[in-house]
Amino acid sequence: MGIFNKANKKPTEQTGTTVISTGTTMKGMVDTKGSIFIDGRFEGIIVASEDVTIGKNGEVLGEIRAKVLTVNGIIDGLFDVGQVNILGSGRVIGKMQYDELTIEQNGIFEGEGKKKNSTMSSQYNKLEVNDTPQIES
């Protein structure tokens, strides 16, 4: 058997990292089996089998579905991810479903978050109160 015999070799799928660098703006959809690093601006839908990382200069307006989402820039939209890491410079606005959420000091999440498969639900709306106290500002 020589070195050129490929009969027993199966094709392997290679995945890399898609990079949207500073100064670049993209609109549309990205669907990848790899990872994405954004330090520019993206508007649209991102579907990644692996990680989506938003750098300090990165901005995303849209939807993200990924295994891991790490935010050091700003994102605004709908997010369905496994693990979310909002770093100290990260800003997340919108609605998010996640398995695991970490927010570093100074990181910001403003919106609605729901842990996937959670059985918890608020009972606040069922509360009956005749006299609602006024909050002074």
Side-chain angles (χ1 to χ4, degrees), residues 112 120-130 132:
E112 230 179 279
M120 294 176 57
S121 64
S122 175
Q123 301 300 310
Y124 176 75
N125 290 334
K126 296 177 184 176
L127 183 65
E128 292 184 30
V129 179
N130 294 331
T132 305

Side-chain angles (χ1 to χ4, degrees), residues 21-40:
S21 60
T22 304
T24 302
T25 299
M26 284 185 65
K27 295 180 182 183
M29 180 175 182
V30 175
D31 187 350
T32 180
K33 293 190 186 319
S35 297
I36 301 173
F37 178 82
I38 299 172
D39 217 20

Side-chain angles (χ1 to χ4, degrees), residues 40-105:
R41 181 172 172 82
F42 181 85
E43 296 177 13
I45 299 171
I46 297 171
V47 179
S49 297
E50 297 298 325
D51 303 354
V52 173
T53 303
I54 313 303
K56 265 192 170 180
N57 299 314
E59 295 179 46
V60 173
L61 179 61
E63 295 181 33
I64 298 175
R65 290 188 294 274
K67 184 187 281 186
V68 178
L69 173 62
T70 302
V71 183
N72 208 17
I74 185 166
I75 60 174
D76 183 351
L78 301 173
F79 316 106
D80 185 351
V81 294
Q83 179 181 337
V84 181
N85 303 303
I86 303 173
L87 305 181
S89 297
R91 307 290 180 262
V92 176
I93 304 163
K95 194 170 184 177
M96 180 167 49
Q97 286 189 55
Y98 57 88
D99 289 318
E100 188 177 322
L101 173 64
T102 304
I103 303 174
E104 286 186 357
Q105 185 174 354

Side-chain angles (χ1 to χ4, degrees), residues 8-27:
N8 294 327
K9 290 190 177 185
K10 294 180 182 174
T12 58
E13 193 171 302
Q14 294 184 352
T15 59
T17 300
T18 301
V19 176
I20 300 173
S21 60
T22 304
T24 302
T25 299
M26 284 185 65
K27 295 180 182 183

